[in-house]
Amino acid sequence: MSHYNDYMYASREATSAKGLANNKQIAQFHYFNPNGLESRRIKNNDRVSELIKEGVVQSGWGWAYGWNASTYYTDCLRDFAMMKRVNGRRLRVILELLQAQVEIQEQKIAEAIA
C-alpha cells in the first residue's frame, strides 16, 4: 500500500486500531478517525457544552471536563500522527491517559444526566 492509502485507511475506513501496521497509523486512527479517541473527546466536549447551556451543570464543568480541560494529550497525539516514526511507549502512555480522560468525561456526563 502507498502512504496515502495507509493514511486513508487509518483515518477513514478502520473501525478499530487492531491490525494497523505501525504506531503512526495507530496515532492517525485515534486522532483523525471517527471511531478514535479524539472523536469521542470532541463529542463529550459538545455534550458538556449542551449541559451547561441547558443549565443542568454549572459553567465550571467546561473547565473541569469540557472544552477547556487539558488538551495536552490531544496535542501529543496530533504530533505523533504527523511524525515519521512514533515511539511506541510514548504513544501507549498518551493513549492510556487520553482514554482515562474520555472515560471520566463519559462517567461525569452520565452522572449529571441521571
Side-chain angles (χ1 to χ4, degrees):
M1 253 199 255
S2 71
H3 292 292
Y4 179 76
N5 289 338
D6 290 343
Y7 167 77
M8 290 305 291
Y9 178 74
S11 64
R12 303 280 183 253
E13 299 169 14
T15 56
S16 76
K18 291 182 178 164
L20 295 177
N22 55 46
N23 291 330
K24 180 177 180 169
Q25 286 182 352
I26 293 170
Q28 289 172 341
F29 170 80
H30 284 294
Y31 190 76
F32 296 113
N33 194 298
N35 299 315
L37 286 175
E38 178 61 9
S39 178
R40 283 177 59 193
R41 190 185 73 83
I42 290 171
K43 288 176 188 172
N44 290 340
N45 290 349
D46 293 342
R47 185 64 182 133
V48 167
S49 295
E50 290 172 9
L51 292 174
I52 292 171
K53 288 178 186 174
E54 294 169 1
V56 176
V57 297
Q58 297 180 357
S59 62
W61 268 53
W63 292 101
Y65 307 112
W67 33 265
N68 283 331
S70 175
T71 61
Y72 175 75
Y73 308 137
T74 299
D75 294 342
C76 287
L77 187 59
R78 181 195 61 230
D79 293 343
F80 290 153
M82 300 300 167
M83 287 181 176
K84 277 191 165 191
R85 297 188 64 158
V86 178
N87 182 301
R89 183 180 301 139
R90 291 178 61 200
L91 177 63
R92 280 190 302 277
V93 168
I94 291 298
L95 289 177
E96 288 173 9
L97 293 171
L98 187 57
Q99 176 74 31
Q101 182 183 21
V102 167
E103 288 174 357
I104 289 171
Q105 283 179 320
E106 291 170 349
Q107 176 188 5
K108 293 297 182 178
I109 290 169
E111 289 174 4
I113 294 173

